[in-house]
Amino acid sequence: MRAAQAARTASWSLGRWGMSQAELGRQLYRERAEIRVYLGSLSDEQWHQPSSCSGWNVIEVAAHLAGFLSVSVVGLARRMARAGFSPQRANARDVATWTNRGAPAILAALSDDQPLGVAEVYRTVGLTEAVIHHQDMRRPFGERRAIPEIRLRAALGLISHRPGTGTGALRRRRGVRLTATDIDWSIGSGPLVTGPSEAILMALAGRMDALDELSGEGKALLAEHFA
């Protein structure tokens, strides 16, 4: 009985992401560290260039990450209460606060000695946010990187299955079959859409620039779901 229960617990812990909660935490710390290194390489001008996240420039995306990856569960609850429990209003206020603090404060919030805050509890959500927004800040400059497959799979798994992420990914993937060309990953049914796994992830997250890297008879239908 105990052995069976332990097996079920281990299976749940690994879940759809193919790794334990402990490994998710390690990957999130590494992703955050890589974000900090990348941001540290940018010029002042680049910090204020538009990102791939519509409506935000690079410093605003970085500000969002600094706020999300440093706030505690209690702090997040207070932030939501002050914003009338509107995620959009809470995000906007937090981004404005961290943007006004400037790049040095943002980099400090992303340093290795800072806790993960609420992302420590919601590790898959935190990792997905970090991976997508990291790409948001890289794509405009053509600064591509080889995202570790373990992180890509976690982000793709969450965004393509879980409702309530706020990305519209479930609506976008409706009626098409998405198949990555660089890793063994596919989901859905219908007309085929193929491309790099990173481009599929970013398209599911609503990044229009990622559509240019996808192909297949289902691409037009996928594009319609951006409206």
Side-chain angles (χ1 to χ4, degrees), residues 9-55:
T9 300
S11 177
W12 179 88
S13 179
L14 289 172
R16 180 176 289 125
W17 329 123
M19 55 178 147
S20 66
Q21 288 296 303
E23 184 59 30
L24 276 168
R26 284 190 288 271
Q27 292 298 326
L28 180 50
Y29 269 109
R30 290 168 187 164
E31 185 71 17
R32 186 176 69 173
E34 290 168 19
I35 289 170
R36 187 175 187 275
V37 169
Y38 173 66
L39 288 172
S41 73
L42 298 182
S43 66
D44 290 343
E45 181 181 1
Q46 287 175 313
W47 275 82
H48 294 89
Q49 292 299 307
S51 75
S52 290
C53 186
S54 180

Side-chain angles (χ1 to χ4, degrees), residues 6 8 15 35 49 87 92 123 128 156 171 193 216-217 225:
R8 286 195 298 270
I35 289 170
Q49 292 299 307
R123 295 183 184 186
T128 302
L156 283 166
R171 170 175 53 83
V193 180
E217 59 180 336
H225 293 164

Side-chain angles (χ1 to χ4, degrees), residues 146-165:
I147 305 173
E149 185 175 335
I150 193 171
R151 298 178 207 167
L152 264 174
R153 288 187 177 279
L156 283 166
L158 178 78
I159 200 171
S160 64
H161 286 88
R162 180 172 172 175
T165 61

Side-chain angles (χ1 to χ4, degrees), residues 28 33 41 45 52 59 61 68 74 89 92 97 101 105 123 126 144 151 162-163 167 175 178 184 187-188 197 201 213:
L28 180 50
S41 73
E45 181 181 1
S52 290
I59 194 171
V61 174
F68 180 75
V74 173
R89 193 178 301 123
T97 296
R101 290 175 182 172
R123 295 183 184 186
R144 297 307 176 92
R151 298 178 207 167
R162 180 172 172 175
T167 62
L178 297 163
D184 183 16
I187 194 170
S197 51
L201 173 66
E213 299 172 44

